[in-house]
């Protein structure tokens, strides 16, 4: 019988920095003037000062005016984890996979403003026409998980693995969408593909049909949950610690593994625990639990269902009236689902309000700034991928989009 993988000390430090789970880097959901945001000192600072103290009503007026002036030249994409005060302006909403499809389908837009994080804007630039300008409202909106897979570390790991397994063993890389464009290019160049939480199972099945092993980065938990659901035992997976020689593994461990998981994770989804699920079942008899596959393996096993944000939204929207749902994903989406499904009870498993701190950096003030600059004919915060990286990253992304 498979047993749960050991929880890494690094994970505990991220979710429990002070010996308890009641701390959060961003503990409010309502939008205040930019200058009053508690974390603003860590955000992009070159926004003009006139935007720092604008109230929500004035920002809304200015955003709507700029959108009207730009008309069909502009498309705004909004990820599910964006705050309500930003998502209301999106022409299209979705998870990273759905938004990548929308980006690829744009035929008339001159500008795509991506209300998400940096790797999503990079993917949009790769998938859109070369003349489309892709803009990220706040250039400090990154992704801590993506940052855990440094391209140099991945290249070093690839070489070490190749040396250990030898020429007769084929390894295919699969990178989660939550990764730098350079790693998507690396994946495309070496025969692999990109995946999202929506299609990770299809990507893994595709890879295992033609290769002996998968190197998956950067989220170990999505990789573990996906491989396990395909019938790969936990004992057939290893975690590659990029800070140690040969990933902290022995040659025999690398040779025996079918899936090599990068030691990366989403700090937001690591907040969810089996204990929260037990508590929810005790307090809400008959509750259904659905969580995101970036959660730990034992959390996914304790839930009734799991899936991407698109699947979570679909399952809850199609559930019968009167049903009760405990959800393990980012709080902005959970709150939105609760509002959109007033005939059901929808609540977040984590009692501490903790939105994704990097998604939260897309404040309406930044949206107003980049849109008003476009009205004046100036492009700020453009995300541009160089031609060579774009070429090979597109190969990996198109393999993903071609999955049935």
């Amino acid at each position: 019988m498979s047993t749960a993988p050991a929880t890494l000390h690094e994970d505990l430090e991220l979710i429990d920095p002070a010996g308890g789970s009641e701390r959060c880097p961003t503990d409010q959901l309502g939008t205040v003037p930019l200058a009053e945001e508690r974390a603003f000192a860590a955000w992009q600072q070159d926004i003009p000062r006139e935007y720092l103290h604008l109230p929500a009503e004035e920002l809304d007026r200015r955003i709507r005016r700029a959108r009207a002036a730009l008309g069909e030249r502009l498309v705004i994409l909004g990820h599910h984890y964006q705050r309500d005060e930003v998502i209301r302006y999106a022409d299209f909403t979705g998870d990273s996979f759905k938004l990548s499809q929308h980006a690829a389908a744009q035929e008339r837009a001159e500008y795509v403003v991506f209300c998400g994080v940096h790797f999503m804007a990079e993917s949009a630039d790769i998938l859109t026409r070369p003349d489309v300008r892709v803009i990220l409202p706040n250039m400090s909106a990154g992704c801590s998980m993506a940052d855990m897979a440094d391209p140099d570390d991945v290249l070093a790991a690839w070489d070490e693995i190749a040396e250990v397994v030898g020429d007769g063993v084929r390894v295919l890389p699969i990178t989660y969408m939550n990764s730098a464009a350079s790693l998507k290019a690396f994946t495309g160049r070496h025969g692999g593909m990109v995946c999202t939480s929506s299609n990770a199972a299809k990507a893994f099945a595709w890879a295992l049909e033609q290769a002996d092993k998968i190197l998956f980065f950067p989220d170990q938990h999505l990789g573990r949950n996906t491989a396990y659901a395909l019938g790969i035992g936990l004992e057939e997976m290893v975690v590659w610690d990029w800070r140690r020689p040969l990933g902290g593994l022995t040659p025999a461990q690398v040779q025996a593994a079918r899936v090599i998981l990068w030691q990366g994770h989403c700090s937001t989804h690591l907040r969810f625990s089996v204990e929260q699920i037990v508590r929810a079942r005790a307090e809400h008899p008959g509750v259904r639990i659905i969580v995101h596959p970036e959660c730990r393996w034992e959390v996914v096993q304790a839930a009734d269902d799991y899936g991407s944000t698109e699947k979570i939204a679909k399952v809850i929207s199609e559930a019968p009236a009167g049903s009760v749902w405990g959800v393990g994903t980012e709080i902005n989406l959970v709150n939105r689902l609760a509002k959109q499904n007033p005939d059901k009870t929808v609540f977040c498993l984590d009692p501490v309000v903790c939105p994704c701190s990097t998604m939260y950096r897309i404040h309406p003030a930044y949206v107003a700034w980049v849109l008003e600059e476009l009205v004046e004919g100036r492009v700020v915060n453009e995300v541009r991928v160089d031609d060579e990286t774009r070429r090979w990253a597109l190969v990996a992304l198109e393999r993903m989009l071609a999955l049935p």
Side-chain angles (χ1 to χ4, degrees), residues 176-189:
Y176 195 15
M177 182 69 83
N178 304 36
S179 60
S182 58
L183 287 181
K184 293 180 176 71
F186 164 85
T187 303
R189 192 178 294 112

Side-chain angles (χ1 to χ4, degrees), residues 12-14 31 37 39 60 92-93 110 185 203 211 223 247 250-251 255 257 262 273 305-306 335 352 364 404:
L12 289 173
E13 288 181 338
L14 275 172
T31 296
E37 287 282 0
D60 179 67
F92 301 99
T93 63
E110 297 176 32
T250 66
Q255 291 164 355
W262 197 260
S273 67
D305 201 354
Y306 71 96
N335 285 351
V352 180

Side-chain angles (χ1 to χ4, degrees), residues 193-212:
M193 71 162 63
V194 179
C195 78
T196 71
S197 54
S198 291
N199 59 21
K202 291 181 179 180
F204 271 50
W206 171 86
L208 290 170
E209 286 179 355
Q210 52 194 309
D212 303 292

